[in-house]
Amino acid sequence: MPMIKTAVATFVSAAALTSAIGLSSAAVAQEHTIGVSIPAATHGWTGGVNYHAEEAKKRLEALYPDIEITISTASTPGEQANDLEDLVSLRNIDALVVLPFESGPLTDPVRRVKDSGVFVTVVDRGLNQEGIEDLYVAGNNHELGRVSGEYIRERLDGEGDIVVLRGIPTVIDDERVQGFQEAIEGSDVNILDMQHANWNRDDGFEVMQDYLARFDNIDAVWAQDDDIALGVIEAVRQAGREDELFIVGGAGMKDIIKRVMDGDELVPVDVLYPPGMIATAMDLTVQHFVSNGPVVGEYILGSPLITQENAEQYYFPDSPF
């Protein structure tokens, strides 16, 4: 999850959001081809992105027979740039939904797609130049941090010792940490240490092992990401300290959601950063062609707290993530 630009506004017509249900396929005036370019399933979250993209393709093509969706996956920024060229020259796409592998290398390729007259939707990772895309769809990283911090603060009654495992050094990570720190500001919740675990299970395990060796008392762990959280869980269990603390992750991985559903006291909640945002982006892009309302601007998804009471609605057992 590399670069993401700061989301400052949300503007999508209400008609555009509701028309997918209310409009029949007859409302589509002509055939349109939508290209979807996403990273290959190199880790858990992008595996979820791939799953939700394929599910959205099946659903939207069934609902709108005159809409054709083609999905390409790339393992490198260069491969994704080549995919974009092929989508324009070989598939003659009318719209592009792109989750950039990396922001910098994909900025010029996406600009060239836009210059060819294609409607462009950018997902999650903002480009290095603003104003290229017509529509931007993303999660809310600041809110993910804020919701996590508020839960830990309330659960600890405003005081306690915690450790933090950050992601990769990126704007995304900075936004999450800023939201978290603002949420615990003014309380007696004390951050013992804060280290990068790179949104990686093995790194999460190693960082948490270090924390457990250095700190005799840890009341809570903010793992920030569910891949990290799995490593933290294993380290805590190997140390036999499950009864001393609780862990808050983030994203919505099915393994973590299942633990929350089952009432796992070690993982009582999760905070959503949905890989399903790709489906939201595809839905809205289709509405550009079938709705009489504007579909432009920014659509920023919330980061709800997932609890045992609501976890079932976020659980996708067939997803790899």
Side-chain angles (χ1 to χ4, degrees):
M1 286 180 273
M3 291 291 292
I4 181 171
K5 70 179 183 182
T6 302
V8 296
T10 300
F11 175 67
V12 179
S13 155
L17 292 174
T18 59
S19 58
I21 298 174
L23 288 177
S24 71
S25 60
V28 183
Q30 64 187 76
E31 293 184 0
H32 295 287
T33 300
I34 297 173
V36 178
S37 175
I38 53 181
T42 54
H43 69 283
W45 192 82
T46 53
V49 169
N50 279 253
Y51 167 81
H52 286 285
E54 292 289 348
E55 291 296 301
K57 169 181 163 68
K58 290 186 288 187
R59 173 173 51 80
L60 289 167
E61 288 183 337
L63 184 60
Y64 302 109
D66 292 321
I67 293 287
E68 179 185 357
I69 297 173
T70 180
I71 299 174
S72 63
T73 61
S75 299
T76 66
E79 184 180 338
Q80 189 173 31
N82 291 335
D83 287 345
L84 297 188
E85 291 183 7
D86 290 344
L87 287 171
V88 173
S89 62
L90 301 180
R91 302 307 297 264
N92 195 29
I93 59 172
D94 302 291
L96 170 69
V97 178
V98 57
L99 198 164
F101 198 98
E102 292 180 10
S103 299
L106 270 300
T107 295
D108 283 340
V110 174
R111 183 193 296 110
R112 289 194 289 270
V113 173
K114 177 61 181 174
D115 289 344
S116 72
V118 170
F119 182 91
V120 172
T121 299
V122 172
V123 185
D124 185 43
R125 302 164 191 178
L127 302 173
N128 281 3
Q129 178 182 332
E130 294 187 5
I132 295 175
E133 70 274 10
D134 299 282
L135 176 65
Y136 179 62
V137 178
N140 191 326
N141 288 285
H142 185 276
E143 185 179 0
L144 183 148
R146 179 188 60 78
V147 171
S148 302
E150 286 181 353
Y151 176 81
I152 289 175
R153 177 176 180 162
E154 293 174 6
R155 175 73 181 266
L156 295 178
D157 293 325
E159 60 179 347
D161 294 324
I162 70 170
V163 292
V164 173
L165 292 87
R166 302 182 61 159
I168 293 171
T170 59
V171 172
I172 283 179
D173 178 69
D174 291 340
E175 290 176 348
R176 292 181 179 184
V177 171
Q178 180 184 15
F180 185 85
Q181 290 177 318
E182 289 174 0
I184 65 172
E185 186 177 358
S187 73
D188 289 323
V189 174
N190 175 43
I191 298 177
L192 296 170
D193 199 358
M194 184 183 301
Q195 294 185 30
H196 291 281
N198 305 311
W199 295 316
N200 180 276
R201 187 178 311 188
D202 292 339
D203 290 350
F205 177 79
E206 292 179 6
V207 172
M208 193 62 203
Q209 274 195 321
D210 174 64
Y211 286 162
L212 291 167
R214 290 194 290 125
F215 303 118
D216 293 333
N217 181 71
I218 300 173
D219 296 306
V221 181
W222 182 40
Q224 197 200 90
D225 174 84
D226 289 338
D227 277 307
I228 294 175
L230 290 178
V232 171
I233 290 168
E234 183 59 28
V236 170
R237 288 189 168 161
Q238 285 191 18
R241 294 176 63 174
E242 302 98 313
D243 297 333
E244 300 177 20
L245 52 82
F246 64 91
I247 301 161
V248 177
M253 178 188 286
K254 68 177 182 181
D255 293 345
I256 299 296
I257 300 298
K258 187 65 165 61
R259 293 175 185 272
V260 175
M261 287 174 60
D262 293 342
D264 187 337
E265 294 184 0
L266 186 60
V267 189
V269 298
D270 198 34
V271 182
L272 188 65
Y273 192 85
M277 69 175 67
I278 191 68
T280 303
M282 292 165 67
D283 285 335
L284 292 170
T285 302
V286 168
Q287 293 311 300
H288 171 69
F289 298 106
V290 304
S291 172
N292 64 339
V295 185
V296 293
E298 296 185 341
Y299 191 86
I300 308 303
L301 301 168
S303 295
L305 184 70
I306 301 173
T307 66
Q308 189 174 16
E309 289 70 31
N310 66 7
E312 188 173 1
Q313 64 183 287
Y314 303 107
Y315 183 57
F316 297 94
D318 295 331
S319 171
F321 180 79

